[in-house]
Amino acid sequence: MATTLDIARDNPNAQTIVASPQPIKVMSEDKPPLIGLSREELAEAMALVDVPEKQRRMRASQLWHWLYVRGVSDFSHMTNVAKDLRARLDEVFSIARPEMVDEQISVDGTRKWLFRFPARGAGRPVEVETVYIPEEGRGTLCVSSQVGCTLTCTFCHTGTQKMVRNLTSEEILAQVLMARDRLGDFPDATTPQGAIVPSEGRMVTNIVMMGMGEPLYNFENVKKALLIASDGDGLSLSKRRITLSTSGVVPEIFRTGDEIGCMLAISLHAVRDEDRDILVPINKKWPIKELLDACRNYPGLSNAKRITFEYVMLKDINDSNQDALELVRLLKGIPAKINLIPFNPWPGSQYACSDWERIEEFADIVNRAGYASPIRTPRGRDIFAACGQLKSASERMRKKDRDAATAAGTAA
Ligand code: SAH
Ligand code: SF4
């Protein structure tokens, strides 16, 4: 199960792992999951274990609390549910966790997990990467929405992996539950009085849908998972602390604000269509103008709720002063933050990261125009957890390649 790669052997952060205080049940069987069902679906599911109609909503609320506030992965811990109902639930449904195939910890404290979900129905098992980034006063979980990606952004490692499939709402949420298990964010389920970790004391305070895959090509499952993650009687993450990043699936942008209500990030990366067509090929379908029009209409957009525009800094490709000026011109009138991301190299990538002075000059122009433009510090490069470096274990990198890429990352 849990292994820590050699990279973390001399790593002081490796000592800080807090494993879950509760025994974790790992998925193995082919039983349908209860994780990821909406409250209504959960209540309906109670019919399958013969709960009388009148009690179904009450049972669903009880289960919701156990699953998302207490984080249990075994029905036997649900002490206020009658024993025979627990046994019946266990016969019919699963609330178990995926297997943790790997856990790596960067020298900067970033953690990357590889989770394996068993085959359900006719499918094959899949492996998914999730990254945790601790920062001063907050901890951000970078969650995957697909295994691989159908899109082929030329600077992104995930884009070189074939799309395997969309993740289900259960699999998206399970990444959050597993991270909270590993980081000690759930109370001890074996003692019913185990104190619930208060929101301010939690390790996972923010979620970004910036792992593998294009979340808006898996809209329904992402929506379901995020609505559960933000449910006030459950995981209770504020929608202000959940950000969905898209490469620009224009027809789903309005719905993202309207039906999910989370924060939006756009992978812009270029200011002219001829450049963006190459870097982010979905641009050929929905060019910059259409994308920015959709942004202007994003529900709830205001100075207090801005859109983040992500811009990867690629040497001699998109990093000139003219590019910065054009970026400012394009975003005029949109409440925006600009996030400059130093390019993270991977083996075989055809780009280099812009020089530091170039990035700073670019940032200055954007700042002078009145936009906050933090330069995103690359995190977890040594364990290949930085933006755009994820690629699932179905095509896992050999150690030799990883070392080469780490060297390239350090040089950049
Ligand atoms: N598919 C979605 C979300 C996942 S990518 C999207 O494209 O928005 C999360 C962010 O990392 C995106 O802004 C993406 O463009 C950026 N990214 C991809 N590869 C990168 C790399 N090699 N270096 C830096 N950022 C990268
Ligand atoms: Fe897919 Fe996003 Fe990578 Fe583009 S940047 S290939 S959309 S994961």
Side-chain angles (χ1 to χ4, degrees):
M1 246 201 43
T3 51
T4 305
L5 279 202
D6 38 52
I7 198 110
R9 204 165 282 150
D10 300 319
N11 174 359
N13 286 308
Q15 313 301 321
T16 63
I17 278 204
V18 188
S20 164
Q22 53 186 281
I24 293 182
K25 190 161 177 181
V26 176
M27 288 174 193
S28 55
E29 329 86 321
D30 206 12
K31 292 188 277 191
L34 290 184
I35 306 277
L37 299 187
S38 67
R39 276 171 185 280
E40 296 69 37
E41 287 169 337
L42 195 54
E44 279 163 29
M46 293 303 101
L48 299 177
V49 285
D50 309 316
V51 172
E53 199 172 342
K54 275 204 211 120
Q55 292 175 19
R56 284 178 202 156
R57 285 184 52 170
M58 179 273 289
R59 287 292 177 212
S61 292
Q62 270 181 331
L63 286 176
W64 194 269
H65 181 84
W66 283 111
L67 297 179
Y68 300 121
V69 177
R70 301 215 153 249
V72 305
S73 58
D74 193 329
F75 290 108
S76 68
H77 293 137
M78 300 184 172
T79 41
N80 62 353
V81 177
K83 256 200 178 147
D84 20 334
L85 178 56
R86 279 190 252 162
R88 188 79 184 103
L89 283 163
D90 192 42
E91 263 168 44
V92 178
F93 297 114
S94 167
I95 54 169
R97 301 283 196 258
E99 181 187 347
M100 186 175 80
V101 181
D102 195 9
E103 174 173 75
Q104 296 177 58
I105 304 162
S106 160
V107 286
D108 69 14
T110 300
R111 294 165 198 223
K112 182 170 84 169
W113 295 285
L114 181 67
F115 299 130
R116 180 180 296 139
F117 294 90
R120 285 238 165 88
R124 292 216 314 236
V126 288
E127 292 184 341
V128 174
E129 286 184 325
T130 309
V131 176
Y132 174 71
I133 308 147
E135 285 171 291
E136 199 55 43
R138 68 170 173 189
T140 303
L141 194 68
C142 180
V143 173
S144 294
S145 57
Q146 299 182 310
V147 186
C149 189
T150 50
L151 302 172
T152 51
C153 304
T154 43
F155 53 88
C156 174
H157 202 205
T158 311
T160 65
Q161 188 195 343
K162 270 210 213 99
M163 166 72 173
V164 180
R165 69 166 172 78
N166 279 338
L167 293 176
T168 63
S169 56
E170 177 209 18
E171 291 160 342
I172 296 167
L173 270 174
Q175 298 172 63
V176 181
L177 300 178
M178 275 300 276
R180 294 197 63 192
D181 286 341
R182 294 299 302 161
L183 295 164
D185 263 358
F186 280 128
D188 184 352
T190 52
T191 57
Q193 300 77 14
I196 293 166
V197 183
S199 315
E200 341 41 280
R202 288 185 190 175
M203 300 284 276
V204 178
T205 59
N206 292 53
I207 291 180
V208 292
M209 295 304 298
M210 293 188 188
M212 297 162 64
E214 168 48 60
L216 294 190
Y217 274 157
N218 186 14
F219 187 88
E220 295 305 331
N221 289 319
V222 167
K223 170 181 161 183
K224 237 172 149 183
L226 294 184
L227 290 180
I228 293 173
S230 58
D231 183 286
D233 293 324
L235 288 164
S236 218
L237 277 136
S238 151
K239 289 182 181 183
R240 293 277 172 129
R241 289 175 174 270
I242 300 178
T243 303
L244 181 150
S245 173
T246 178
S247 57
V249 183
V250 165
E252 308 293 357
I253 287 181
F254 186 86
R255 291 181 68 200
T256 303
D258 194 39
E259 298 176 30
I260 306 176
C262 60
M263 307 297 282
L264 181 69
I266 299 283
S267 292
L268 191 61
H269 306 316
V271 290
R272 285 171 218 89
D273 282 328
E274 63 265 33
D275 298 333
R276 197 165 186 270
D277 281 351
I278 297 168
L279 295 176
V280 189
I282 199 177
N283 193 67
K284 290 186 221 150
K285 208 163 181 180
W286 295 294
I288 294 173
K289 184 178 174 321
E290 286 183 37
L291 175 60
L292 295 182
D293 282 347
C295 289
R296 284 192 180 85
N297 292 323
Y298 192 68
L301 189 61
S302 68
N303 280 336
K305 197 176 173 195
R306 294 165 192 252
I307 294 177
T308 300
F309 288 89
E310 298 160 281
Y311 197 95
V312 63
M313 298 302 294
L314 302 169
K315 189 179 180 128
D316 300 330
I317 302 282
N318 63 356
D319 61 352
S320 70
N321 288 353
Q322 283 92 321
D323 291 316
L325 290 165
E326 181 59 12
L327 178 60
V328 167
R329 196 190 65 79
L330 280 177
L331 299 187
K332 208 163 182 218
I334 305 178
K337 284 184 272 195
I338 296 163
N339 205 189
L340 300 178
I341 315 175
F343 169 65
N344 292 307
W346 36 274
S349 57
Q350 45 174 313
Y351 299 104
C353 182
S354 308
D355 299 331
W356 198 250
E357 301 76 57
R358 185 90 293 276
I359 299 182
E360 284 191 329
E361 204 172 322
F362 195 100
D364 279 349
I365 296 177
V366 173
N367 280 330
R368 276 201 297 275
Y371 291 101
S373 60
I375 302 167
R376 194 183 288 173
T377 323
R379 299 293 303 266
R381 272 187 179 176
D382 56 343
I383 56 163
F384 250 70
C387 294
Q389 292 187 315
L390 303 185
K391 189 169 176 180
S392 95
S394 31
E395 276 185 80
R396 204 151 6 141
M397 237 179 297
R398 281 166 300 144
K399 184 172 182 314
K400 186 162 65 67
D401 292 340
R402 209 167 43 220
D403 290 346
T406 304
T410 318

